[in-house]
Amino acid sequence: MLRPRTLCLVLLAACAPRRAAPPAPVAIRADAGPPEPVAPLVMVKAPGPTPMELKQLTEEEWARGVRDKLSVKLKVDPAELRFSPGKQLVAFVRQPTPKRFQIEVVDPEGKRRARFRPVTAPRSQEPPKDFRFLTEDRLVYEVALPPPAPMQPPTRLMVIQPLKKRAIRCAGTRFTFTSKQDRLAFVSLNAGKPEATFVAVDGVQVYPRRGRTVIGSNLAWSKDGVSLAFLETKPATPARLILLADYDNPSGDTNWDLPPTASLDGARVFWSGPGKLVVGKTVTRPTFAASFVKEQ
């Protein structure tokens, strides 16, 4: 059983930070990641008196062999096969008819584990773009959309497809993956109200925790893929640097007001190290900096 933990932040900034009253402790889910792939042992005939000997394949050699075998068995280009992070599953896109696509998931022996019809734009004949595994049990791809209408902001549509659940549509802008490529953050747009936006991770709203706001910068993941930082630029209020110390734990949310003289034209948020945030056009020329310490 997981014990609840309270996330405490010790904040240091170029200007005095403003913090909300600490919320009640919350429980954090700790999910174990997929097991590390192990190169299999195969039996190989050896000349001479010894009938058999073991030869250990590298992971690259094993994957190449699986691709070649599945390519022949499934009649698909080896370059189109996508391995899951744990190398336990293989996915690919098939086009059984000129106007229809299918996503198929098989094991390394070619046995089918799942089949889906991908999300496509109306009347589109374009296959999914950047198709791959997000985690061991989830796929991700981008839908090819037509050009936006005049005066409409360009948006993208990413789809997260769990192997045992319905697809999650992620429509918005400023998409960014963690360094491990296992989580997807983006800014969701409300049609007709560009000022009413929110930040979502894997399709779930994480900021503001309720309601809408205006996100005025990129979304910056920490190296460990736990913390998320960005700028909030609501009208008639000072711009703020927002930190979600644990993106799925509201007790770690905090913010800093930026100085009125801080230039936001082209400003971005950068991580300059663990617990260190920088706002500016480049990480080496900041207009604002803040730091924090996260204690368990």
Side-chain angles (χ1 to χ4, degrees):
M1 179 179 295
L2 297 178
R3 295 182 179 179
R5 67 174 183 177
T6 302
L7 183 63
C8 302
L9 298 177
V10 180
L11 308 172
L12 305 174
C15 60
R18 183 176 64 192
R19 299 176 57 189
V26 297
I28 301 300
R29 185 185 68 254
D31 295 327
E36 292 293 330
V38 178
L41 291 174
V42 297
M43 302 298 294
V44 180
K45 280 190 176 183
T50 303
M52 289 287 182
E53 68 176 6
L54 292 176
K55 177 183 178 182
Q56 186 168 8
L57 298 176
T58 65
E59 182 179 330
E60 183 179 353
E61 291 171 335
W62 176 84
R64 187 185 307 118
V66 171
R67 276 197 175 95
D68 292 342
K69 179 181 66 177
L70 292 180
S71 173
V72 175
K73 183 174 183 178
L74 303 174
K75 298 180 181 180
V76 61
D77 187 340
E80 300 299 321
L81 299 174
R82 301 288 185 266
F83 279 96
S84 64
K87 302 295 188 293
Q88 301 300 308
L89 297 171
V90 183
F92 60 95
V93 178
R94 188 190 296 278
Q95 189 174 11
T97 65
K99 296 183 178 181
R100 184 180 178 185
F101 296 95
Q102 285 181 344
I103 295 175
E104 295 198 21
V105 182
V106 300
D107 64 16
E109 298 301 320
K111 184 177 180 180
R112 183 185 299 155
R113 298 300 182 185
R115 174 186 281 177
F116 310 98
R117 186 168 182 178
V119 176
T120 57
R123 296 180 296 278
S124 173
Q125 298 184 23
E126 295 293 326
K129 299 191 299 182
D130 300 326
F131 170 77
R132 64 176 182 82
F133 276 91
L134 184 63
T135 57
E136 193 69 23
D137 60 351
R138 294 185 301 163
L139 297 159
V140 64
Y141 58 89
E142 183 171 1
V143 177
L145 297 178
M151 306 302 293
Q152 291 292 326
T155 60
R156 298 168 62 190
L157 176 59
M158 302 285 289
V159 176
I160 298 174
Q161 176 63 71
L163 299 189
K164 296 182 179 181
K165 296 181 181 179
R166 298 183 63 179
I168 302 170
R169 301 188 184 210
C170 305
T173 62
R174 296 172 181 162
F175 287 82
T176 180
F177 289 93
T178 58
S179 60
K180 294 181 180 180
Q181 301 290 301
D182 60 349
R183 295 188 182 103
L184 173 63
F186 66 98
V187 177
S188 179
L189 298 178
N190 189 351
K193 296 181 179 180
E195 72 283 359
T197 64
F198 62 87
V199 177
V201 174
D202 292 349
V204 178
Q205 180 173 340
V206 297
Y207 188 85
R209 300 297 176 174
R210 293 182 180 179
R212 298 292 186 267
T213 187
V214 180
I215 306 301
S217 76
N218 62 309
L219 307 178
W221 281 107
S222 58
K223 187 176 180 180
D224 61 6
V226 172
S227 303
L228 192 62
F230 47 87
L231 295 181
E232 183 181 46
T233 55
K234 293 194 294 186
T237 60
R240 301 194 301 174
L241 172 61
I242 304 297
L243 168 68
L244 310 184
D246 278 354
Y247 75 91
D248 58 353
N249 181 0
S251 67
D253 295 357
T254 192
N255 62 79
W256 295 265
D257 284 347
L258 270 62
T261 57
S263 174
L264 299 182
D265 184 22
R268 295 175 56 84
V269 177
F270 302 93
W271 288 85
S272 60
K276 297 180 180 180
L277 291 166
V278 167
V279 178
K281 290 185 177 181
T282 66
V283 70
T284 57
R285 299 184 64 182
T287 59
F288 182 83
S291 62
F292 67 95
V293 176
K294 185 163 60 173
E295 298 178 348
Q296 302 298 332

